């Protein structure tokens, strides 16, 4: 294996799924996990057996209430999927999750197109400068058509929205036109390097759009290939750092502090010093367990690396949005 491939196998990317309510976001996450080899069977929201809708209220109401995570390892990149609530009543849960995302997927129903809440989500993503992919699902149902939907995206979201399902010379030219230097390069060579495409996405100048039907697995494999090809893992420092985005409890009542590591390595029994939400004196507590969750299930590990999302046990006074370390 080449040095480049050895390095890319270590890539960790935190990918959040966002949408207006009933757009098909949880169905897409289910399809991605299935096509990625992480599920043996497809669950459905309406059948109350979706992999990431683990709470009783979620299954009864058919909506996502709490952010959930799942591990999706592709060829050279390990994605952590964070499925966020789409209903406006639970938007605070979604907004806390934005703090730890490397990339986002905005899911849009092809039958509904861009909704008011879609535009709200878009503004939040742009404010936080989170590189964004778009997946238009439910294309098996009556819809305005790809051209009309793309016109909606460009009008209501951004001119940088581009259909990535038909990659031809016109497609390359449309990408090159997003940056003057890249256009000059394209006119000279007739080519656009995939790294240049990734760079435009990372800088918020280009937003890849994919079409399909998550319920029928249409377009999902191509979407996963696009994610693998055009995402880049962040570069992290060697010193320990982490961001808290959720506090929860497991069925046994254990307090869970969900974090994304943004630097260094964290081991079981490592001490963490932090300020509690209500208090002026530093608290120092040891991490007694590290859990990597995927749906309801988890595995315990001895250490986690920068870029990974995990749940910590042993911390009693942590709070969402809190930072640890450097």
């Amino acid at each position: 294996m080449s040095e480049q491939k050895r390095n890319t196998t270590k890539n960790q990317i935190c990918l959040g799924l966002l949408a207006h309510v009933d757009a098909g976001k949880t169905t897409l996450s289910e399809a991605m996990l299935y096509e990625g080899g992480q599920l043996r069977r497809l669950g459905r929201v309406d059948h109350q057996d979706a992999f990431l809708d683990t709470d009783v209220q979620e299954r009864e109401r058919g909506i996502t209430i709490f952010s959930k995570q799942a591990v999706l390892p592709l060829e050279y990149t390990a994605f952590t999927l964070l499925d966020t609530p789409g209903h406006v009543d639970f938007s605070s849960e979604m907004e806390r999750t934005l703090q730890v995302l490397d990339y986002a997927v905005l899911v849009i129903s092809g039958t509904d197109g861009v909704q008011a809440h879609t535009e709200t989500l878009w503004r939040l993503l742009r404010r936080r400068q989170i590189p964004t992919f778009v997946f238009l699902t439910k294309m098996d149902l009556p819809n305005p058509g790809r051209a009309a939907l793309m016109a909606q995206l460009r009008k209501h979201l951004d001119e940088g929205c581009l259909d990535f399902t038909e990659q031809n010379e016109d497609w390359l030219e449309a990408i090159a036109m997003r940056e003057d230097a890249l256009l000059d390069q394209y006119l000279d060579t007739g080519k656009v390097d995939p790294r240049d495409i990734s760079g435009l996405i990372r800088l918020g100048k280009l937003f890849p759009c994919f079409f399909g039907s998550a319920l029928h697995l249409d377009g999902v494999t191509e979407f996963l290939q696009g994610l693998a090809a055009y995402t880049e893992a962040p570069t992290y420092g060697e010193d320990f750092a982490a961001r808290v985005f959720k506090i929860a409890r497991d069925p046994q009542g254990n307090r869970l502090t969900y974090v994304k590591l943004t630097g260094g390595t964290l081991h079981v029994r490592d001490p963490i010093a932090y300020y509690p939400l209500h208090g002026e004196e530093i608290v120092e507590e040891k991490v007694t367990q590290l859990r990597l969750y995927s749906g309801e299930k988890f595995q315990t590990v001895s250490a986690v690396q920068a870029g990974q999302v995990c749940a910590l046990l042993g911390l009693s006074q942590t709070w969402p949005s809190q930072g640890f370390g450097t």
Side-chain angles (χ1 to χ4, degrees):
M1 182 181 290
S2 69
E3 184 65 29
Q4 182 181 2
K5 288 186 177 181
R6 281 201 297 271
N7 289 339
T8 53
T9 56
K10 299 177 183 178
N11 285 350
Q12 298 283 342
I13 290 179
C14 191
L15 180 72
L17 277 69
L18 296 85
H20 61 82
V21 68
D22 294 331
K25 171 179 52 58
T26 299
T27 303
L28 176 60
S29 67
E30 195 89 4
M32 291 169 68
L33 292 168
Y34 180 80
E35 290 290 83
Q38 300 307 296
L39 296 181
R40 293 184 178 180
R41 59 180 293 274
L42 278 170
R44 288 179 54 160
V45 174
D46 54 343
H47 292 175
Q48 299 186 2
D49 60 357
F51 181 71
L52 289 177
D53 279 350
T54 57
D55 186 82
V56 174
Q57 296 180 70
E58 293 177 316
R59 291 185 170 177
E60 289 179 349
R61 298 176 64 176
I63 60 173
T64 301
I65 298 174
F66 308 103
S67 61
K68 300 293 195 321
Q69 69 188 68
V71 177
L72 177 60
L74 298 182
E75 190 173 8
Y76 301 126
T77 303
F79 287 93
T80 299
L81 298 187
L82 291 180
D83 186 15
T84 66
H87 199 287
V88 293
D89 289 350
F90 309 107
S91 59
S92 58
E93 179 86 0
M94 176 274 298
E95 290 190 44
R96 284 192 289 268
T97 306
L98 295 183
Q99 301 173 88
V100 299
L101 299 185
D102 300 315
Y103 288 84
V105 176
L106 184 61
V107 185
I108 297 176
S109 166
T111 60
D112 299 329
V114 176
Q115 302 290 297
H117 191 52
T118 311
E119 295 185 70
T120 299
L121 293 172
W122 187 263
R123 287 192 295 270
L124 287 170
L125 290 168
R126 301 285 58 77
R127 188 180 305 158
R128 290 189 174 270
Q129 300 180 339
I130 299 172
T132 304
F133 288 69
V134 179
F135 190 88
L136 293 105
T137 189
K138 301 186 182 182
M139 293 299 292
D140 56 313
L141 302 175
N143 62 81
R146 291 194 183 196
L149 288 167
M150 285 304 307
Q152 280 189 38
L153 296 181
R154 294 193 182 101
K155 178 180 179 181
H156 296 289
L157 302 185
D158 194 283
E159 284 289 332
C161 292
L162 182 64
D163 186 350
F164 264 53
T165 58
E166 295 184 9
Q167 301 185 6
N168 49 36
E169 288 188 10
D170 292 339
W171 175 77
L172 281 179
E173 183 177 345
I175 290 175
M177 290 179 67
R178 299 304 300 165
E179 189 174 72
D180 290 343
L182 187 58
L183 180 58
D184 291 340
Q185 174 187 312
Y186 173 73
L187 293 174
D188 288 341
T189 66
K191 298 179 180 179
V192 175
D193 191 283
R195 288 191 176 186
D196 290 324
I197 298 175
S198 299
L200 291 175
I201 296 167
R202 194 177 65 251
L203 293 172
K205 296 182 177 181
L206 181 65
F207 306 98
C209 301
F210 294 81
F211 292 82
S213 171
L215 184 62
H216 299 291
L217 301 178
D218 180 36
V220 177
T221 296
E222 293 80 4
F223 179 52
L224 291 178
Q225 291 170 346
L227 288 173
Y230 300 117
T231 54
E232 299 177 3
T235 301
Y236 297 105
E238 295 183 0
D239 295 332
F240 165 70
R243 173 70 64 183
V244 180
F245 68 95
K246 186 172 75 167
I247 305 295
R249 291 189 182 273
D250 68 10
Q252 289 70 45
N254 296 307
R255 192 174 191 273
L256 305 175
T257 299
Y258 284 84
V259 304
K260 176 192 174 185
L261 255 67
T262 56
T265 304
L266 180 65
H267 302 84
V268 174
R269 307 307 299 176
D270 278 352
I272 294 182
Y274 63 92
Y275 283 100
L277 183 59
H278 302 291
E280 298 180 355
E281 295 187 5
I282 292 178
V283 173
E284 184 173 292
E285 297 176 312
K286 288 186 178 181
V287 175
T288 58
Q289 195 174 84
L290 294 168
R291 294 180 180 180
L292 299 180
Y293 271 90
S294 198
E296 289 182 302
K297 298 180 180 179
F298 66 86
Q299 66 176 110
T300 58
V301 293
S302 59
V304 288
Q305 308 291 329
Q308 288 187 285
V309 173
C310 65
L312 315 180
L313 278 73
L315 307 183
S316 63
Q317 301 181 62
T318 48
W319 41 277
S321 303
Q322 182 177 24
F324 294 146
T326 58

